[in-house]
């Protein structure tokens, strides 16, 4: 049996800015509660432009004037990066 050699390396986690990385996505969800304390839950599509997702929130509010509470979810790609010896 031959000997094995292990090398420890330092890994870091960083935003993925490579050209082939997934795009950052913005979504808005209506969190207005109904009479039974249930969230509306209506949600925008994933949008690369945060203004487009905000536009959905305004459209939802126009259709439902009593729905005034929203939550934003931002999905940003990250990547593990080998950063040299530990």
């Amino acid at each position: 049996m031959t000997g094995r050699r292990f090398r420890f390396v330092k890994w870091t986690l960083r935003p993925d800015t490579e050209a082939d990385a997934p795009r950052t996505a913005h979504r808005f969800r209506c969190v207005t509660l109904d009479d039974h304390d249930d969230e509306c839950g209506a949600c925008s599509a994933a949008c690369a432009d945060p203004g487009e997702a905000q536009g959905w929130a305004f459209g939802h509010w126009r259709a439902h004037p009593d729905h005034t509470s929203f939550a934003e979810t931002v999905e940003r790609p990250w990547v593990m990066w080998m950063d040299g010896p530990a």
Side-chain angles (χ1 to χ4, degrees):
M1 178 188 277
T2 62
R4 293 185 183 190
R5 179 176 282 185
F6 293 93
R7 180 175 67 125
F8 292 98
V9 294
K10 184 172 109 180
W11 288 86
T12 58
L13 183 62
R14 64 174 176 83
D16 190 349
T17 57
E18 299 296 324
D20 63 345
R23 294 175 16 182
T24 298
H26 302 265
R27 289 180 185 85
F28 273 83
R29 184 179 85 248
C30 180
V31 296
T32 300
L33 300 177
D34 64 15
D35 294 337
H36 303 289
D37 285 339
D38 294 321
E39 278 187 11
C40 166
C43 188
S44 73
C47 304
D49 175 14
E52 189 177 335
Q54 291 172 359
W56 173 88
F58 278 99
H60 184 75
W61 168 74
R62 279 192 293 278
H64 309 278
D66 55 333
H67 289 207
T68 57
S69 297
F70 296 88
E72 180 187 22
T73 302
V74 178
E75 186 175 302
R76 183 173 291 113
W78 287 70
V79 65
M80 294 297 289
W81 187 257
M82 190 169 37
D83 199 23

